[in-house]
Amino acid sequence: MVDPVITFEHVTKMIYNKKIIHDIHFQLPKGKIIGMVGPNGSGKSTILKLMAGLILPSKGNISLYGNHITRRSSQSIAYLPEKSGYYPFYTVRETISYHNRIYKDFNLEKATDMIKFMRLNANEKVSSLSKGHVSRLKIVLALSRQAPLILLDEPLTGLDPMMRASIIKGLIAFLDIPEQTIVITTHEVMEIEPLLDMVLAIRNGEIIKFDDLDNIRELAGGNLLDWMTNTYT
Amino acid sequence: MGKDFSSKTPIYLQIIQHICSQIIRGDLQPGEKLPSVREMALKMGVNPNTIQRVYMELERESLAEARRGQGTFVTENRDRLQQLRLDLKHDRIKTFIADMTEMGFTTEEISLGLVEYFAKSLNEGDK
């Protein structure tokens, strides 16, 4: 593969003597949107945290553009956690400027555009934002970075259909394809499917499929959900 | 937002079919500029890579041409557009006939059915 963004080499992750990830091995190509799917507890979030350098593998090696991943890698990886960790006493604008200070690759102009696009009020306190608006803010913070790798953990979970549609629209409008590579975990497969180039399917801490979406659709004779229904049940 | 891509046909092909119908209907005129890749991606609710592929395929099929720095335009070649019209007609009829044949209808039944259908809808249109 030409110029893989991230490489997992025989990665195993144990947590409290329990094997969460079993000897996984793959490379993500540049400029693609990759959907990571699988049932709850299959290891998706763990794989994302390993990519982000937030946890380290028990065995094996992970590299970003050939460099070993460490906690410092967060300077070149934008990670959107499932749970938010923002200061509730900051306004939206203060949260943006805080992120602008801690990340060198933060694009303030893009963030300002996205705030408008997502119809967020820059003067509102984070503590008074609705769940849907916190999710939009998280997307703004992740996509405003010119990081080569963007990791989104369940960006659509718990949101109403209109909010999910507006977040998907924001992704299409502001992702910098083909410069950025994006990994998204989600259970909202029907909605995310038109966005995907590739699918990474996980079960019990192992990769059961990593292929182009079109190949999987052809294999299933249907859409991604059909394939998952056949494979996981 | 976007289109429904639930059928098994690859998404890029569904978008190509959609654009071809627009060209045939005249919603997109010969020589008209197609939306930019990102605009089209937003309109369809799909990955920009998919639209990139759609435009490349349309170019390969001589249905569109990319002009450097200006974008992608519907071809002005009338012969090619006429060919597209005939191809689409042929495709749809072929699919219809295949479906009917699979259900066990004979060629005579199908053609008679079509004649009767047109006659009936013509009468209804008169009322």
Side-chain angles (χ1 to χ4, degrees):
Chain A
M1 189 181 297
V2 194
D3 209 13
V5 177
I6 203 153
T7 306
F8 273 53
E9 287 169 285
H10 298 292
V11 170
T12 294
K13 179 66 186 174
M14 320 267 295
I15 298 178
Y16 300 125
N17 283 332
K18 192 168 170 253
K19 244 189 205 176
I20 307 291
I21 302 297
H22 304 259
D23 192 36
I24 59 173
H25 205 73
F26 64 91
Q27 292 187 321
L28 301 184
K30 188 184 168 192
K32 303 281 185 192
I33 305 182
I34 298 134
M36 184 154 49
V37 299
N40 287 323
S42 53
K44 301 191 298 291
S45 292
T46 307
I47 292 176
L48 223 52
K49 282 179 193 152
L50 284 165
M51 284 183 192
L54 294 172
I55 55 177
L56 296 173
S58 311
K59 269 188 223 155
N61 185 43
I62 306 171
S63 51
L64 178 76
Y65 284 121
N67 299 313
H68 205 65
I69 283 207
T70 64
R71 278 305 299 255
R72 290 243 184 101
S73 308
S74 66
Q75 279 296 341
S76 35
I77 299 167
Y79 170 73
L80 177 149
E82 191 182 350
K83 299 183 184 72
S84 61
Y86 308 117
Y87 295 123
F89 47 86
Y90 271 171
T91 63
V92 168
R93 182 178 290 114
E94 285 163 348
T95 308
I96 300 270
S97 77
Y98 172 66
H99 277 250
N100 189 36
R101 285 196 302 275
I102 56 178
Y103 295 112
K104 283 187 202 112
D105 59 5
F106 199 89
N107 182 336
L108 194 57
E109 200 180 326
K110 194 172 177 186
T112 314
D113 284 351
M114 282 195 82
I115 289 285
K116 271 193 214 128
F117 185 90
M118 294 287 196
R119 293 162 194 248
L120 285 165
N121 177 357
N123 298 316
E124 201 171 337
K125 279 235 161 68
V126 171
S127 56
S128 65
L129 291 175
S130 68
K131 195 173 176 184
H133 281 97
V134 170
S135 300
R136 290 188 191 191
L137 177 60
K138 280 160 64 174
I139 293 280
V140 171
L141 294 170
L143 297 197
S144 296
R145 292 187 50 197
Q146 301 297 110
L149 182 62
I150 296 189
L151 309 173
L152 309 175
D153 199 2
E154 301 285 349
L156 304 176
T157 299
L159 303 178
D160 66 55
M162 287 78 73
M163 197 60 87
R164 295 203 294 269
S166 79
I167 286 184
I168 289 177
K169 253 188 152 163
L171 287 174
I172 298 170
F174 291 99
L175 281 174
D176 189 7
I177 301 283
E179 288 311 312
Q180 294 182 306
T181 303
I182 297 92
V183 184
I184 306 178
T185 68
T186 188
H187 292 295
E188 272 72 27
V189 174
M190 290 294 275
E191 284 164 277
I192 217 77
E193 181 175 1
L195 270 191
L196 302 181
D197 290 300
M198 301 184 82
V199 175
L200 184 63
I202 313 293
R203 181 168 55 196
N204 300 329
E206 287 174 3
I207 294 171
I208 55 169
K209 191 89 189 162
F210 181 39
D211 205 345
D212 287 345
L213 174 67
D214 280 342
N215 293 340
I216 289 179
R217 284 168 67 103
E218 198 181 327
L219 201 70
N223 58 33
L224 179 56
L225 188 61
D226 295 331
W227 180 82
M228 287 174 69
T229 312
N230 290 333
T231 309
Y232 286 108
T233 52
Chain B
M1 176 187 75
K3 265 167 66 74
D4 174 26
F5 297 106
S6 47
S7 91
K8 69 169 186 177
T9 314
I11 291 170
Y12 81 95
L13 275 181
Q14 294 185 47
I15 297 174
I16 291 177
Q17 285 163 0
H18 176 78
I19 294 176
C20 285
S21 322
Q22 284 186 309
I23 295 176
I24 296 300
R25 278 201 307 269
D27 291 350
L28 279 170
Q29 292 288 322
E32 191 173 330
K33 186 179 186 298
L34 292 167
S36 73
V37 167
R38 197 172 297 265
E39 274 165 21
M40 191 60 129
L42 268 172
K43 206 165 119 189
M44 293 287 162
V46 303
N47 187 326
N49 286 332
T50 306
I51 302 296
Q52 195 69 54
R53 176 152 184 211
V54 166
Y55 284 6
M56 260 169 55
E57 294 286 333
L58 288 173
E59 270 179 65
R60 219 170 47 91
E61 294 284 331
S62 313
L63 288 166
E65 48 188 271
R67 294 181 201 154
R68 198 170 282 273
Q70 294 183 60
T72 306
F73 296 77
V74 178
T75 182
E76 290 178 87
N77 181 343
R78 303 273 166 176
D79 292 344
R80 181 65 189 93
L81 293 174
Q82 181 57 22
Q83 189 58 47
L84 172 70
R85 197 161 178 270
L86 294 177
D87 288 349
L88 278 181
K89 183 179 79 170
H90 182 254
D91 274 3
R92 294 300 158 90
I93 292 177
K94 198 172 146 193
T95 313
F96 169 72
I97 301 290
D99 281 352
M100 295 296 279
T101 312
E102 202 186 290
M103 287 186 283
F105 290 99
T106 64
T107 316
E108 289 73 29
E109 280 177 305
I110 300 170
S111 6
L112 193 62
L114 280 173
V115 172
E116 280 171 0
Y117 182 87
F118 287 136
K120 196 170 161 234
S121 55
L122 205 67
N123 279 335
E124 279 168 4
D126 287 344
K127 278 174 199 167

